[in-house]
Amino acid sequence: MTTVIKTPKKVIPIVSDESSDKFISMYEAQSKIYPRNISGKFKNWRWIMIWITQIVFYGTPWLMWNDRQAMLLDVSTHRFYIFGLVLYPQDLIYLAVILIISALTLFLFTAVAGRLWCGFSCPQSVYTEIFLWMERKIEGDRAARMRLDSMKFGVRKFHKKFLKHAAWISFSMVTGFTFLGYFSPIRDLLDSIIQYRLSSWETFWICFYGFATYGNAGFLREQVCKHMCPYARFQSAMFDNDTLIVTYDQERGEPRSGRSRSINAKKEGLGDCIDCSFCVQVCPVGIDIRNGLQYECISCGLCVDACNSIMDKMQYPRGLIRFSTQNGVEKHWSKYEIIQKILRPRVLIYSGLLLLLSLGLVFSLTIRPSFKVDVNRDRGVMSRLAPGGMVENVYQIQFTNVTESQQTYRVSVSGLKGASTASDTEFMVYPASERLVAISLQIADGSIRKGIYPVMFDVESVNSKEHVKQKSSFYMP
Ligand code: SF4
Ligand code: SF4
């Protein structure tokens, strides 16, 4: 007769899976994790996300827009081309707002659904999964890989390891090349590779990003999530009892025990967990979710798939491990009740801020002028006498044409009676280019008293009729 052990309802703290009273050296070699393959709903979702993110990553640099690369962060010319948008260093505010929006989106997703980003879209998880796929194809699944690693080095082991690393390095180099293609025109880059004329900097960046991918996805894997990623450290501060997390239903699962399928577990006083450790074997970070939510968990849902497959075999209901909330598990809420709790104050605040910032960004991009003007008085010569008894001030005007067509700008000056321009007033500027010109402003000597007078430069785009005004001053000696 099996003794029935009553398990008290357990709150799920975010803790480390490692025993706290054990001393662990920071320099201790980590035991290698051999995640077992699994199929199921969340595994499929992971692969759908891998396909989407990789098609976007590898495809975007090849898209064209107005005879140029659609997405190009051209650091050498200080131009960021994002489809129809051309951003200059002065527009860094837009990039800052885009970054803030991305951070807020991450906060919102974390408050609603925990570390969904980590499990399904983060490049570290995505590339680790791709590398694991290559590893499985070449070395086999968990047991075969463990056997291979414990074998003595020989022809068979060398062959498999060589193939695996060749596949990893080739893939990493393509990733490095694509990454650089966001910063340097990718078609030219490909030509340079074909013709063996890559510059040393281009070679360095391709290798740097390539080997970072190779090292992170091939070797460091879960160590990056555990020890290097700052998000893993602060995400728990954004969790509350209504955040979706991967949970093990202690009440239902305990006491765990192995058993044959013919046994009536209820009669024997057993929980639904058959202690098969399948959920641990598939976990890419090597934790046991039955010990409670741990900061290492990336919410990939693979243990859910694993446990569901076991529940199906045992003919028990699915969901012993499931996506739920702490309140949902403790209070036995239905799916509907859990979803209802999503609209809580913190989620509404994040959503409101996100909406405001996004609208503000779209609005300011819509009303953004098609050109910028900077007027500066010539610092070298404050004022000088010009032929014909005139006093002259010289100004440097910088035009920035943010459109992708050639533009002509007309300059006029107002605010000082009797002053007139004594140089060209129409200037052509090439598409997405800047031009610095000098403009001379003259007034008859003695027509005004000595002093500094405000003047207004009005620059009109001849093509679009837009106006940009800039204040400056005229110095009468
Ligand atoms: S515990 Fe489950 S959800 Fe968390 S990382 Fe491991 S397999 Fe993924
Ligand atoms: S897969 Fe399910 S049944 Fe097996 S050990 Fe994990 S929780 Fe228990």
Side-chain angles (χ1 to χ4, degrees):
M1 174 88 178
T2 318
T3 328
V4 182
I5 306 160
K6 272 235 163 200
T7 317
K9 198 186 281 181
K10 197 170 169 186
V11 175
I12 308 169
I14 300 178
V15 294
S16 168
D17 195 25
E18 291 143 354
S19 148
S20 55
D21 53 2
K22 198 171 93 184
F23 174 76
I24 297 171
S25 162
M26 291 298 287
Y27 305 102
E28 192 174 46
Q30 302 284 328
S31 47
K32 189 172 170 185
I33 296 170
Y34 296 87
R36 185 166 162 177
N37 199 16
I38 177 70
S39 50
K41 186 166 89 177
F42 293 107
K43 174 80 169 194
N44 292 343
W45 270 113
R46 283 196 101 194
W47 273 100
I48 289 170
M49 290 309 295
I50 287 173
W51 277 105
I52 293 174
T53 51
Q54 297 315 290
I55 287 171
V56 170
F57 175 70
Y58 290 105
T60 305
W62 295 98
L63 298 178
M64 296 298 283
W65 187 278
N66 289 344
D67 295 330
R68 58 143 171 101
Q69 195 167 314
M71 181 82 180
L72 181 64
L73 310 176
D74 196 344
V75 184
S76 60
T77 60
H78 305 142
R79 307 269 186 289
F80 287 2
Y81 300 94
I82 305 171
F83 294 88
L85 201 64
V86 185
L87 296 178
Y88 294 78
Q90 304 94 302
D91 295 320
L92 271 182
I93 180 74
Y94 293 115
L95 289 180
V97 174
I98 290 170
L99 285 180
I100 295 170
I101 288 175
S102 312
L104 266 178
T105 310
L106 193 63
F107 294 169
L108 176 65
F109 270 81
T110 310
V112 172
R115 292 179 74 179
L116 268 199
W117 159 260
C118 299
F120 292 84
S121 308
C122 169
Q124 178 60 24
S125 313
V126 164
Y127 286 112
T128 301
E129 189 63 37
I130 296 172
F131 273 50
L132 264 172
W133 177 81
M134 289 189 254
E135 195 170 66
R136 271 187 212 115
K137 289 283 161 208
I138 296 165
E139 294 184 352
D141 201 8
R142 176 182 156 90
R145 295 203 305 276
M146 289 168 95
R147 257 196 321 274
L148 186 73
D149 279 358
S150 60
M151 265 167 67
K152 278 210 177 119
F153 212 75
V155 177
R156 186 180 130 78
K157 187 166 178 174
F158 173 79
H159 178 234
K160 292 216 175 235
K161 294 284 173 194
F162 176 80
L163 279 183
K164 181 179 85 173
H165 287 283
W168 281 1
I169 291 174
S170 312
F171 181 83
S172 302
M173 287 304 148
V174 176
T175 309
F177 163 75
T178 307
F179 177 75
L180 189 61
Y182 281 87
F183 299 92
S184 177
I186 199 161
R187 286 174 171 77
D188 297 348
L189 212 53
L190 185 62
D191 283 346
S192 303
I193 292 176
I194 293 169
Q195 296 164 20
Y196 297 106
R197 53 175 177 80
L198 262 191
S199 73
S200 46
W201 272 113
E202 288 168 337
T203 313
F204 169 78
W205 283 114
I206 290 176
C207 292
F208 178 82
Y209 194 79
F211 279 104
T213 308
Y214 174 64
N216 287 340
F219 301 93
L220 293 177
R221 294 189 174 173
E222 77 288 347
Q223 303 299 331
V224 174
C225 310
K226 280 161 119 177
H227 306 297
M228 291 159 74
C229 175
Y231 177 58
R233 297 282 156 182
F234 70 78
Q235 43 89 21
S236 58
M238 285 180 276
F239 279 27
D240 60 25
N241 291 352
D242 292 311
T243 299
L244 273 179
I245 48 174
V246 175
T247 51
Y248 165 70
D249 193 335
Q250 297 262 358
E251 241 179 83
R252 190 187 139 188
E254 302 295 326
R256 66 184 81 158
S257 166
R259 83 256 349 227
S260 98
R261 224 188 304 178
S262 55
I263 273 186
N264 185 330
K266 293 277 172 295
K267 260 193 183 167
E268 299 290 332
L270 294 174
D272 279 356
C273 175
I274 64 164
D275 209 9
C276 61
S277 83
F278 197 19
C279 51
V280 184
Q281 292 174 32
V282 298
C283 178
V285 296
I287 57 170
D288 186 345
I289 195 67
R290 293 172 300 170
N291 295 342
L293 180 64
Q294 296 137 60
Y295 82 88
E296 294 95 335
C297 175
I298 56 167
S299 286
C300 64
L302 296 183
C303 53
V304 179
D305 283 342
C307 192
N308 280 344
S309 72
I310 299 294
M311 294 295 110
D312 289 350
K313 279 189 194 128
M314 298 300 292
Q315 292 172 347
Y316 294 166
R318 286 179 159 210
L320 176 57
I321 301 179
R322 61 182 182 271
F323 272 94
S324 184
T325 63
Q326 201 162 318
N327 277 338
V329 173
E330 283 171 12
K331 297 175 184 170
H332 306 282
W333 281 347
S334 65
K335 268 189 193 166
Y336 178 70
E337 285 171 305
I338 292 171
I339 292 169
Q340 258 189 333
K341 287 288 168 187
I342 286 177
L343 289 179
R344 53 197 192 278
R346 94 171 18 209
V347 171
L348 292 177
I349 290 171
Y350 285 149
S351 309
L353 282 174
L354 202 55
L355 189 69
L356 270 179
L357 273 173
S358 307
L359 287 178
L361 179 69
V362 171
F363 180 69
S364 79
L365 283 174
T366 319
I367 59 160
R368 179 176 175 243
S370 66
F371 65 102
K372 292 186 170 68
V373 177
D374 252 329
V375 180
N376 287 307
R377 273 168 48 84
D378 191 319
R379 301 265 172 237
V381 188
M382 288 285 281
S383 186
R384 67 185 172 205
L385 280 175
M390 305 296 278
V391 173
E392 179 181 69
N393 279 199
V394 178
Y395 302 83
Q396 304 281 348
I397 301 189
Q398 166 112 0
F399 299 101
T400 307
N401 175 8
V402 303
T403 70
E404 296 196 61
S405 53
Q406 188 174 298
Q407 300 285 328
T408 303
Y409 303 113
R410 187 178 296 136
V411 181
S412 59
V413 185
S414 59
L416 184 59
K417 207 170 165 210
S420 60
T421 47
S423 52
D424 280 347
T425 52
E426 278 199 10
F427 304 94
M428 186 274 290
V429 183
Y430 289 118
S433 299
E434 290 166 328
R435 183 173 171 192
L436 186 67
V437 300
I439 285 237
S440 144
L441 191 59
Q442 294 186 348
I443 194 165
D445 192 10
S447 61
I448 51 173
R449 277 192 285 178
K450 179 182 171 187
I452 295 175
Y453 296 85
V455 286
M456 179 68 79
F457 282 81
D458 184 351
V459 181
E460 182 193 15
S461 162
V462 172
N463 311 61
S464 69
K465 303 292 174 213
E466 273 176 82
H467 285 258
V468 170
K469 293 189 177 186
Q470 275 263 317
K471 279 185 193 162
S472 191
S473 56
F474 186 92
Y475 174 60
M476 176 57 105

